[in-house]
Amino acid sequence: MLLAAAAHAHEIRPAYLDMRETASDTFAVVWKVPAQGEMRLGLHVRLPAACVEKSEPVRSIEQGAYFERWNVACTKGLKGGEIIVDGLTSTMTEALMRIQYGTGDTELTRLLPDRPRFVVAGTQTSIEVARTYFLFGVNHILSGLDHLLFVLALILLIRDRWMLFKTITAFTIAHSMTLAGASLGYFSLPQSPVEATIALSIAFVASELARAEPGERRLSESYPWLVAFAFGLLHGFGFAGALKETGLPQSDVPLSLLTFNLGVEAGQLLFVAATLIVARVGAAIVAVPPTAARRLGAYVIGTASMLWLVPRIIGLGA
């Protein structure tokens, strides 16, 4: 189970279709599918019948994903046309579709296994944009196992619920700051070192949890909000990396950024609530000393973080 988690971790990505209008009714197309080595998911995109290829697709494997790039001319435009992802119904993933028109307008939607097709609308209302980015944020945090394990380590480390609330709030404020700044282009960090350091941050908190002793106050226990804030700044760059893949619609940048961040927070709060409920129910069913439970959690979390850290460090030199 740990090996499976290590293989995916924060690298769980949806398939991704990007279409950018380069001339009137002419689009540059990028189709990205998750891959493991030379093996890729069996997902294939079908564009509207009115779209004719102007060039042969260029295929490549890059950073754990399979890419196809080509150009199409849609003589009647995209509006009203249907885009379908074949093979999506037999997978556990999803597909993100982003269309950027020459006017600067952007249309974004998510395709799910039970909804593998959509009809291009040409425009999106503000409510549709907000809903799409909110759900994208929720899905991103709930599929980002490394972020969730960091939060889980904080829950196990901090016994005072009021202090836990302040610590989670500090983590939220910090990653919201870097998420906004990086997404708007004010500053940035290379994604590979960020992902490796995120794994290291989990290992640090797991180590603090494993070495915690009754009556002793380590730095992470005395000032957990400071530790959470410092690492939250780093985790925000990880969230921004996912958001950059889809981009922000030029007509609704503040709204899409706000709703994506709210989605991340909603997913995080759902995880915290579910964890506390499961812990309460588990304690009522099985009598496990709290110290032993925390020690077990520390080793599981620490092991997972190391299984993520090593390949991410190796990937820095690739």
Side-chain angles (χ1 to χ4, degrees):
M1 183 174 64
L2 287 174
L3 289 174
H8 296 286
H10 191 59
E11 302 304 321
I12 294 178
R13 300 288 191 226
Y16 180 53
L17 175 69
D18 181 85
M19 300 183 69
R20 298 173 187 266
E21 191 171 23
T22 56
S24 180
D25 295 333
T26 300
F27 295 83
V29 183
V30 178
W31 174 234
K32 177 182 176 183
V33 178
Q36 188 75 20
E38 295 297 319
M39 299 181 63
R40 50 159 289 191
L41 288 181
L43 301 177
H44 304 274
V45 64
R46 278 193 284 156
L47 300 180
C51 294
V52 179
E53 291 184 1
K54 296 185 64 179
S55 62
E56 284 292 321
V58 177
R59 300 174 175 86
S60 62
I61 297 287
E62 304 171 25
Q63 299 179 344
Y66 168 83
F67 285 85
E68 288 184 3
R69 297 178 173 89
W70 72 101
N71 295 293
V72 296
C74 303
T75 55
K76 299 181 180 179
L78 276 178
K79 186 177 181 179
E82 187 176 57
I83 297 179
I84 305 171
V85 176
D86 293 323
L88 194 62
T89 55
S90 60
T91 69
M92 295 296 290
T93 188
E94 62 183 43
L96 288 174
M97 304 284 180
R98 181 177 186 269
I99 305 172
Q100 182 172 317
Y101 299 97
T103 59
D105 291 333
T106 302
E107 186 172 3
L108 178 71
T109 191
R110 296 166 63 238
L111 299 186
L112 305 173
D114 61 346
R115 185 166 51 85
R117 61 182 68 202
F118 85 105
V119 177
V120 179
T123 58
Q124 282 186 311
T125 66
S126 295
I127 293 178
E128 290 172 330
V129 170
R131 178 180 180 276
T132 298
Y133 276 88
F134 179 83
L135 293 176
F136 181 41
V138 172
N139 178 75
H140 179 67
I141 183 64
L142 293 182
S143 63
L145 298 182
D146 47 2
H147 294 293
L148 294 182
L149 275 193
F150 182 83
V151 174
L152 176 60
L154 292 177
I155 295 173
L156 292 174
L157 181 66
I158 304 168
R159 304 175 190 182
D160 181 84
R161 291 296 173 243
W162 173 239
M163 180 59 74
L164 176 62
F165 172 78
K166 291 192 291 185
T167 301
I168 296 295
T169 300
F171 180 66
T172 295
I173 293 172
H175 71 62
S176 297
M177 291 167 55
T178 48
L179 167 62
S183 299
L184 295 174
Y186 292 118
F187 43 76
S188 65
L189 288 177
Q191 196 64 20
S192 295
V194 165
E195 296 293 345
T197 314
I198 286 174
L200 191 60
S201 73
I202 302 169
F204 170 79
V205 180
S207 173
E208 291 290 283
L209 180 60
R211 292 185 291 177
E213 296 291 344
E216 294 185 6
R217 300 284 292 180
R218 305 183 63 81
L219 171 66
S220 57
E221 294 177 291
S222 299
Y223 304 100
W225 59 269
L226 184 60
V227 173
F229 185 87
F231 286 129
L233 294 173
L234 187 68
H235 283 243
F237 285 107
F239 295 134
L243 191 55
K244 283 181 179 178
E245 289 189 356
T246 59
L248 295 168
Q250 296 180 23
S251 58
D252 285 297
V253 170
L255 176 64
S256 54
L257 181 58
L258 173 63
T259 51
F260 176 81
N261 197 59
L262 289 175
V264 168
E265 299 321 314
Q268 184 174 279
L269 290 175
L270 285 173
F271 175 74
V272 171
T275 300
L276 294 177
I277 291 172
V278 169
R280 180 65 62 87
V281 173
I285 297 175
V286 181
V288 178
T291 301
R294 291 188 178 93
R295 188 65 55 87
L296 175 62
Y299 284 115
V300 170
I301 294 170
T303 301
S305 67
M306 288 295 100
L307 289 173
W308 294 331
L309 178 63
V310 173
R312 291 179 185 184
I313 290 178
I314 293 173
L316 294 178

